[in-house]
Amino acid sequence: MRVKMRIRRFNPEKDSKPWWGEYEVEVEPTDRVLDALHQVKWYQDGTLTLRRSCAHGICGSDAMVINGRNALACKVLMRDVGKVCVVEPLRGLPLIKDLVVDMEPFFAKYRAVMPWLVNDEIPDHGERLQSPEARERYDDTTKCILCAACTTSCPSFWANEHYIGPAAIVQAHRFIFDDRDRAAVERLRILNDRDGVWRCRTVFNCVQACPREIDVTKAIGEVKLAILEAL
Amino acid sequence: MVRTHRTETVVVGAGGAGLMAALYASRGSQTVVLSKLYPTRSHTGTAQGGIGAALGNIEEDHPEWHTFDTVKGSDYLADQDAVERMCYEAPEIVYELEHMGLPFSRTPEGKINQRPFGGHAAEFGKRPVPRACFAADRTGHMILQTLYQQCLKHRVKFYDEFHVLDLVLSPDGRAAGVVAYDIDQGELHLFHAKAVIFATGGFGRIWQITSNAHSLTGDGPAILLQKGLPLEDMEFFQFHPTGIYKMGILITEAVRGEGGVLRNDQGERFMERYAPTMKDLASRDVVSRAIYLEVKAGRGIGGKNYVHLDATHLGREKIEERLPDIADFCRTYLGIDPAEQPIPVQPTAHYAMGGIPTDVEGRVRRNAAGDLVPGLYAAGEVACVSVHGANRLGTNSLLDIVVFGKHAGQDAARFCQQNDWPELPEETWQPSQATIERILNNTGEDNAARIRDEMQAVMMDHVGVFRTAEGIQKALEKIHELQERVRHVTVSDKGKRFNTELLEAIELRNLLELAEVTAQSALNRTESRGAHYREDFQQRDDEHWLKHTFVRKEDGQIRFEYRPVVITKYQPQERKY
Amino acid sequence: MGALVETLRYVISYRGTEGHWAWLLHRLSGLGIALFLSMHIISIFSVGLGPRVYNFLHEVLYVSAPAKVLEVFLIFGVLFHAANGMRIIVIDFFPGLGKYQRTIVRIELLVVILVFIPAAIITLQGVL
């Protein structure tokens, strides 16, 4: 099938502002949007710039806005995008070039929630025990691949770049609800900040955007309740 | 201008091996990690099924059995001292990962859960044993996340999106650092170091159908080749039996570990014929060949070149609990529900058993005699210790990266404490600078993507699961032609900022180097062993070929050396599953 | 200012779910209600300007047809803002309900419309 790719372009060394590039590609209905972007980059315009790596929805490199909605380019099939496929960089993060944005502010927020297990009681031999139910409690949020699709789909984040954002809250949730962890209260304090979890307005764009199908808003809601209980 | 940094240990690559190495190196030396991707994008994250360790949480198991299975799986080419070390350290290191916070799936008693995997057996091959410690079908993702978390906790310094272009050797032959290209700014940086650890991963992108990420272009081994250093056992590259038809996306062996079976066009469970004991859980080389033979005999689905992986009898509940990501891949890319329909699969280029030769501490060998390059280390898929020999068992790659990543990191820290910085040669960045300028200023018409397509097609046709001298010769002719063409490749993007077109051209040059030595090594080894199957030499030939290949390039000429296999307990015998 | 325009562009052009549009409407209705409240306060203060101004405002201007139409908008805004606020509170306390958020938004809209229609008819009776 023939599809028109409308791609938001910006070269920091040449352009003063972004512009739209249009390209025709011939693709299979089962091809990914990433395949179509590669067709443009490899055979039509080598200057098109994007990040990608694993190409099957695990590494989280190629989150972008596809037809007005955040998604991984390697997880959207061409048969689902129609005759025209509009591709833009993620919103709310500084634009570097074409579809590449600066991820550093995003990772800074991730680092702010102490995303590591805190527990010094290590058994002499073997593993710490954890019941399947306790493991299940935080299963959903272990799936996060830090692609930033959720955070950059959030109107609260667009309006306020200091908002810690859904991804960081999801990462905090993964530890707060892990019964092996001992720093839940500290993390809850961090998230109780004015730019913490209370900026969430339950818009649910993050749930729709998450390529790992994490129930992001539920995780945020659980953190809100935990703050009410613990602090 | 070139910015110079001085540090003690430089780790190149931030997958499982690189992060584990960084974690341990940073305990005894000032450490920086350079990665051309953000660390969490590394390919370790896509590993699914599990990490092998004889914990015996479900059934009786012993590191000794694990060792035997690994040696047998390797078709007796693995160095048995290294395998022993890995398998005996496996339980402790899995516990260590748990202590770091890795969210393993649990048994009802709360222990780490385990499941069967291809080639892993009880009592030296008698029956499948649950040895793969898993976190649903996201084990690699959890390892990568956990190790990155630990690195952040311990404040390891990262340079993300820095593409390493060159290794710097001091005049007296020590590793002295690396030259890296800052992708965002387009500037060269020189990292002057006492120890350099390469953990750059595999190079599956030399084939058309591969489970490997676009970024797996073998930059590390290609750099060493250019420095005149050898690579080991390059002819052994694993084709995983179950990649999604046409796309190559990996469908974990855990599907078969949980009870899934392979069926041909007649609905027959054909692995019963090829491996009566282990059946669908025979080692990967055996299963991949069986699929090819079925297809060749016209029993592929609808006469095409794929078969079915049938998991419909497992039930939706088990699939959603144990294999949720697989179910997601099937829905997303195939539009099918694995609980109701079989999955179309074909072998996909998956894992390099060969790579940079190292000893069990991760120290890089300079030649087949075993002399070392002081201060240079390699770990993970890029290294060849060799624990996988001619064929790797599933779950052993995750084990390999953490065990040998740890040793490389520890030894690098020790080395840094005992040594001062080596002397830097003059203008070490010159070759990297020249390469970049040449590509930017080339006036040729040829484009990197088309050359890459041709390389991938010819490697798939002639240097895949089945090989012949004639086919490999053809592939080599093509590769040489492409190597000539790649020198004139140009790019339309002449800018400095985020010039990924330039990097793809450099990566292509690396891929072609590896395609060449892979094909040359495959042509050279006139026997069939593990993943290397020669239709013109179908038997294993222990008399002449029970040895590792060391291949190097000197002035453009390929040179071979050989190193004997270390055999401790297990004498080679016929391999049956 | 540029940032505000950019944010508005994001908000309008993003193809979010029901929650996205409910959020946008919540903001707009909130702004509308705030606007009405300030108007309301100002018109009460107009009593200080004497009976002529006050009576004109309340007996002529506010009962005119255009004002009634605006009042209908106000009713919708108040109803929606209240109902949506309730929905947000419920979801905040029962995060598990998020799974059904699309249905909940639809039910909320239905309730708002069911109350709104008779209210609108009554309001507009004198004008029609």
Side-chain angles (χ1 to χ4, degrees), chain B residues 337-353:
Chain B
D337 176 355
E340 280 175 7
Q341 280 168 282
I343 310 165
V345 293
Q346 74 181 130
T348 179
H350 185 54
Y351 185 86
M353 270 75 71

Side-chain angles (χ1 to χ4, degrees), chain B residues 110-148:
Chain B
K111 293 179 173 175
I112 293 170
N113 210 344
Q114 296 185 281
R115 64 178 156 212
F117 235 78
H120 290 283
E123 292 180 62
F124 309 101
K126 287 227 175 85
R127 58 180 184 278
V129 69
R131 187 178 289 148
C133 311
F134 65 95
D137 54 357
R138 310 186 179 109
T139 318
H141 164 75
M142 301 299 186
I143 290 180
L144 184 67
Q145 295 280 328
T146 303
L147 291 175
Y148 185 54

Side-chain angles (χ1 to χ4, degrees), chain B residues 473-484:
Chain B
Q473 291 281 17
K474 250 189 228 160
L476 274 168
E477 273 168 40
K478 186 78 195 174
I479 292 164
H480 290 141
E481 176 207 318
L482 297 177
Q483 279 173 324
E484 184 52 37

Side-chain angles (χ1 to χ4, degrees), chain B residues 398-459:
Chain B
L398 289 178
L399 184 58
D400 173 9
I401 61 174
V402 287
V403 168
F404 293 104
K406 174 178 171 173
H407 287 300
Q410 274 176 339
D411 204 82
R414 197 160 43 229
F415 183 86
C416 289
Q417 284 160 10
Q418 291 163 356
N419 292 279
D420 204 355
W421 274 274
E423 190 191 329
L424 268 185
E426 297 280 300
E427 307 204 319
T428 48
W429 61 87
Q430 281 293 333
S432 306
Q433 182 96 41
T435 302
I436 291 171
E437 273 166 18
R438 200 197 64 229
I439 296 173
L440 291 177
N441 297 329
N442 263 348
T443 49
E445 293 282 292
D446 235 337
N447 137 325
R450 288 184 207 284
I451 296 180
R452 188 172 52 217
D453 290 346
E454 289 181 40
M455 167 192 69
Q456 290 171 336
V458 78
M459 288 299 285

Side-chain angles (χ1 to χ4, degrees), chain A residues 8 65-70 88 91-92 152-153 155-156 158-159 201-205 208-209 215 217-218 221-222 224-225 228, chain C residues 3 6-7 9-21 23 27 87-88 91-99 101-102:
Chain A
R8 191 90 166 154
V65 187
I66 298 170
N67 284 353
R69 189 177 281 176
N70 281 8
E88 301 161 73
R91 297 160 173 193
T152 57
S153 75
S156 299
W158 298 334
R201 302 284 190 262
T202 55
V203 176
F204 290 97
N205 278 358
Q208 179 199 42
D215 198 339
T217 308
K218 183 179 173 203
E222 288 175 350
K224 286 178 182 168
L225 290 179
L228 289 183
Chain C
E6 192 73 344
T7 305
R9 188 179 77 78
Y10 291 167
V11 168
I12 294 163
S13 66
Y14 194 83
R15 273 194 324 131
T17 47
E18 285 81 349
H20 180 77
W21 303 113
W23 170 83
R27 293 281 143 141
R87 177 184 67 94
I88 292 170
I91 286 177
D92 268 343
F93 280 97
F94 304 96
L97 287 177
K99 251 196 301 221
Q101 57 102 3
R102 305 182 68 159

Side-chain angles (χ1 to χ4, degrees), chain A residues 21-213:
Chain A
E22 292 197 356
Y23 312 85
E24 295 268 335
V25 291
E26 183 67 41
V27 291
E28 298 286 325
T30 52
D31 278 350
R32 298 156 270 200
V33 170
L34 178 63
D35 296 317
L37 291 171
H38 270 153
Q39 257 201 55
V40 174
K41 178 170 179 63
W42 291 344
Y43 311 114
Q44 296 186 31
D45 182 352
T47 63
L48 175 66
T49 305
L50 65 146
R51 291 194 182 99
R52 86 283 184 269
S53 185
C54 84
H56 65 285
I58 302 296
C59 78
S61 299
D62 59 352
M64 49 189 78
V65 187
I66 298 170
N67 284 353
R69 189 177 281 176
N70 281 8
L72 297 182
C74 60
K75 271 200 100 171
V76 180
L77 301 190
M78 291 308 287
R79 65 167 174 236
D80 299 323
V81 297
K83 288 267 163 252
V84 181
C85 180
V86 184
V87 185
E88 301 161 73
L90 291 177
R91 297 160 173 193
L93 291 170
L95 182 60
I96 294 180
K97 183 178 177 184
D98 292 346
L99 301 171
V100 175
V101 294
D102 182 3
M103 297 293 286
E104 186 42 38
F106 173 79
F107 278 101
K109 292 180 163 75
Y110 163 69
R111 292 192 296 267
V113 299
M114 308 166 55
W116 48 78
L117 190 84
V118 177
N119 181 334
D120 299 327
E121 314 134 40
I122 289 170
D124 291 337
H125 180 72
E127 65 269 55
R128 290 188 199 91
L129 297 184
Q130 180 170 52
S131 71
E133 296 72 38
R135 166 66 178 77
E136 180 62 25
R137 182 68 191 85
Y138 64 98
D139 184 65
D140 203 33
T141 44
T142 62
K143 297 187 298 196
C144 174
I145 54 175
L146 295 164
C147 67
C150 59
T151 296
T152 57
S153 75
C154 177
S156 299
F157 175 72
W158 298 334
N160 175 5
E161 58 177 349
H162 302 296
Y163 171 39
I164 195 144
I169 303 173
V170 159
Q171 288 289 337
H173 179 282
R174 178 250 170 274
F175 293 100
I176 292 167
F177 292 91
D178 184 339
D179 66 350
R180 299 172 297 171
D181 187 71
R182 301 286 175 265
V185 174
E186 242 174 292
R187 289 195 190 87
L188 292 174
R189 280 224 174 85
I190 295 167
L191 293 174
N192 194 28
D193 185 82
R194 60 190 289 261
D195 290 319
V197 66
W198 306 112
R199 294 254 172 225
C200 168
R201 302 284 190 262
T202 55
V203 176
F204 290 97
N205 278 358
C206 51
V207 179
Q208 179 199 42
C210 179
R212 304 289 289 153
E213 291 171 20

Side-chain angles (χ1 to χ4, degrees), chain C residues 19-32:
Chain C
H20 180 77
W21 303 113
W23 170 83
L24 184 59
L25 209 51
H26 195 79
R27 293 281 143 141
L28 289 175
S29 59
L31 275 176

